[in-house]
Amino acid sequence: MSIILNIETATKNCSVALANEGKTIACKEIAEQNFSHAEKLHVFIEELLAENNLQFSDLNAIAVSQGPGSYTGLRIGVSSAKGFCYALNIPMIAIDTLQLLAKQIQIEDGIIIPMIDARRMEVFSAFYDKNHNQIRNTQAEIIDETSYQEITETIHLVGDGTEKFKNTLIDTKFVFHSDVVFPSANEMSQLSFDKYQIRDFVDVAYFEPYYLKDFVLSK
């Protein structure tokens, strides 16, 4: 039995899932306009363990969403994961945030472009094929009516960054999956277990979230 605690805090969604052998046992999450990760994350973790008759000592690993995404959200999730891993002496696993978005839909053809809002007309994005394999690297890009002109395949768009482009990306090749807004820890279960099996761990001391852009303080 391999019990992994999955933590996803890269966006407005504060999400935690317990998984056994790659299958989600239980998941708690909440998406609020004002980030509530600092207040909710540890409460969710303690509730999940208690409701499933588990102790922290039962955990075999901690998985955390590595970004890109919110600077503050990522710091909270990664800091918590590091603290648990140090205290429990268990490995830490990092999962790409955009892949979690892509995995929430199943397609028969075309490509999936998950987008996380990076303010104004910019998003964090990557390309995934129908099997959820990444086929273009992660970028911070500004989207306009000329974006993706070179692609002839159907383009499936997911994530909170897509909503602002419905009047910009109007070609029939664009399919907006508006029901998929935020990444979820529920999608981490199989991914983290796969990495656990091959011992694909990160260094707890030196791991940093994948911010992609420098933090800019605004008033």
Side-chain angles (χ1 to χ4, degrees):
M1 186 168 69
S2 299
I3 304 294
I4 298 177
L5 175 68
N6 298 284
I7 298 173
E8 202 324 284
T9 58
T11 65
K12 293 176 183 177
N13 194 31
C14 180
S15 181
V16 183
L18 273 174
N20 182 19
E21 302 290 319
K23 304 295 183 183
T24 300
I25 301 171
C27 180
K28 284 183 179 287
E29 55 190 354
I30 186 171
E32 297 181 323
Q33 190 62 32
N34 296 319
F35 284 79
S36 58
H37 302 9
E39 296 81 16
K40 302 290 188 182
L41 180 59
H42 287 264
V43 173
F44 283 174
I45 293 171
E46 291 175 359
E47 287 178 349
L48 277 178
L49 290 172
E51 291 168 5
N52 291 278
N53 298 313
L54 293 170
Q55 306 292 326
F56 280 102
S57 57
D58 294 317
L59 299 176
N60 298 104
I62 307 285
V64 66
S65 179
Q66 68 180 10
S70 157
Y71 182 92
T72 302
L74 288 170
R75 292 298 295 179
I76 291 171
V78 170
S79 296
S80 296
K82 283 188 171 187
F84 288 129
C85 289
Y86 269 126
L88 300 170
N89 193 29
I90 57 177
M92 187 165 117
I93 299 164
I95 304 294
D96 184 85
T97 305
L98 288 169
Q99 188 178 16
L100 300 179
L101 271 173
K103 280 184 67 65
Q104 291 187 53
I105 64 170
Q106 303 295 324
I107 63 172
E108 294 183 358
D109 55 45
I111 64 173
I112 305 170
I113 303 182
M115 293 181 173
I116 293 176
D117 190 8
R119 298 185 179 180
R120 300 184 179 86
M121 298 304 284
E122 191 173 27
V123 294
F124 302 128
S125 66
F127 292 3
Y128 291 84
D129 64 18
K130 64 181 181 180
N131 298 314
H132 306 110
N133 298 310
Q134 188 170 353
I135 55 176
R136 194 212 71 182
N137 63 317
T138 301
Q139 297 179 9
E141 58 180 339
I142 296 173
I143 304 298
D144 59 29
E145 62 276 358
T146 67
S147 298
Y148 313 128
Q149 284 186 336
E150 73 284 1
I151 301 175
T152 58
E153 300 173 86
T154 300
I155 299 174
H156 299 268
L157 299 170
V158 297
D160 68 337
T162 65
E163 193 65 27
K164 56 190 176 185
F165 302 121
K166 285 189 173 180
N167 294 324
T168 303
L169 304 176
I170 58 175
D171 191 286
T172 55
K173 69 183 178 184
F174 293 107
V175 178
F176 287 82
H177 295 261
S178 299
D179 56 325
V180 179
V181 181
F182 299 117
S184 170
N186 186 54
E187 304 300 326
M188 296 175 68
S189 297
Q190 187 62 54
L191 293 172
S192 59
F193 182 60
D194 290 343
K195 288 197 170 189
Y196 180 79
Q197 288 185 300
I198 61 173
R199 301 183 64 80
D200 184 0
F201 307 140
V202 296
D203 190 308
V204 176
Y206 295 103
F207 176 76
E208 289 291 331
Y210 183 36
Y211 296 120
L212 198 59
K213 290 176 62 179
D214 291 333
F215 175 66
V216 178
L217 180 65
S218 59
K219 294 182 180 179

